[in-house]
Amino acid sequence: MLLRKAARRKAAAGFSHEAFPYSGMGEFTAGTRSFLGQAVRAGDPALVIATRLKAEAIRAAMGDAAGQIRFAEVPRADGNPARLIPAWREFARVHPGAAQIWGVCEPVHPGRSAAELAECQLHEALLNIAFDASAPVRLLCPYDLRALGAGVIEDAHRTHPFITRGGRRRPSATFRPIDLAAPFAQIGRAHV
């Protein structure tokens, strides 16, 4: 029985990048608790990168299990989400052989400038190629439906292969892989 369970986990492992649209702190904590609870029950490593307020909410929701999760605070002055991909890659590197690595991060939040939002969208798109498809990394990116505009939520659906809501993960109907040549093509047109 243990061998079958391990085989199912290995078959299910692989890179997964999920948008988690939520409405209010109750749904935020319920969704992150459900997601991280899977990691805790399996004994897998988990990392939460969040603001102090969100990290405290997750800690409270997880109760004693919060001790099994690593928390890192999103620096207030750091508007550059490009620093997040190296953090995820490092966390995966220090857990070689883990059946699954779990992560929660909310890079898009109210108060971000238009330039920061554009960088966040690029970050979200690049995350899909930062890991090999077979990498056992599962990332959940919360998006506050009450505080973010409809365009930001639409972008989340385009940059995440999966949408998780109500504890159910489904493929995003509007996901579009990043075209790595597009930014360079734009540069060439600017000078014509």
Side-chain angles (χ1 to χ4, degrees):
M1 171 128 165
L2 283 176
L3 289 175
R4 276 187 266 148
K5 185 177 179 183
R8 280 195 309 269
R9 274 186 51 104
K10 186 171 177 108
F15 183 70
S16 181
H17 183 211
E18 306 164 32
F20 165 45
Y22 69 92
S23 293
M25 284 298 284
E27 191 174 353
F28 172 82
T29 55
T32 55
R33 180 180 61 234
S34 173
F35 182 82
L36 293 167
Q38 295 174 69
V40 169
R41 285 188 297 279
D44 292 335
L47 170 63
V48 172
I49 302 175
T51 63
R52 182 172 293 142
L53 174 69
K54 294 290 177 78
E56 288 173 5
I58 293 170
R59 277 191 182 101
M62 294 303 297
D64 292 340
Q68 298 174 53
I69 300 166
R70 181 167 171 239
F71 288 84
E73 189 172 341
V74 174
R76 291 175 200 256
D78 180 14
N80 186 356
R83 295 181 182 169
L84 294 173
I85 291 175
W88 292 123
R89 291 176 62 90
E90 177 62 15
F91 190 68
R93 188 191 68 75
V94 299
H95 292 93
Q100 187 76 52
I101 293 168
W102 303 75
V104 174
C105 184
E106 187 173 22
V108 177
H109 50 80
R112 288 254 195 214
S113 69
E116 289 172 337
L117 285 174
E119 287 301 313
C120 287
Q121 292 162 358
L122 181 59
H123 155 76
E124 295 283 33
L126 289 172
L127 254 174
N128 298 312
I129 60 170
F131 291 93
D132 182 270
S134 65
V137 177
R138 190 169 172 196
L139 302 177
L140 186 74
C141 304
Y143 280 79
D144 188 341
L145 293 170
R146 292 182 183 172
L148 300 171
V152 174
I153 302 303
E154 289 169 10
D155 287 336
H157 283 253
R158 281 192 290 274
T159 58
H160 291 78
F162 299 98
I163 307 299
T164 296
R165 189 103 197 254
R168 298 184 63 194
R169 181 177 72 164
R170 62 178 170 77
S172 171
T174 58
F175 170 68
R176 299 293 173 261
I178 189 168
D179 176 0
L180 293 176
F184 301 103
Q186 301 254 344
I187 292 170
R189 281 187 245 142
H191 298 290
V192 176

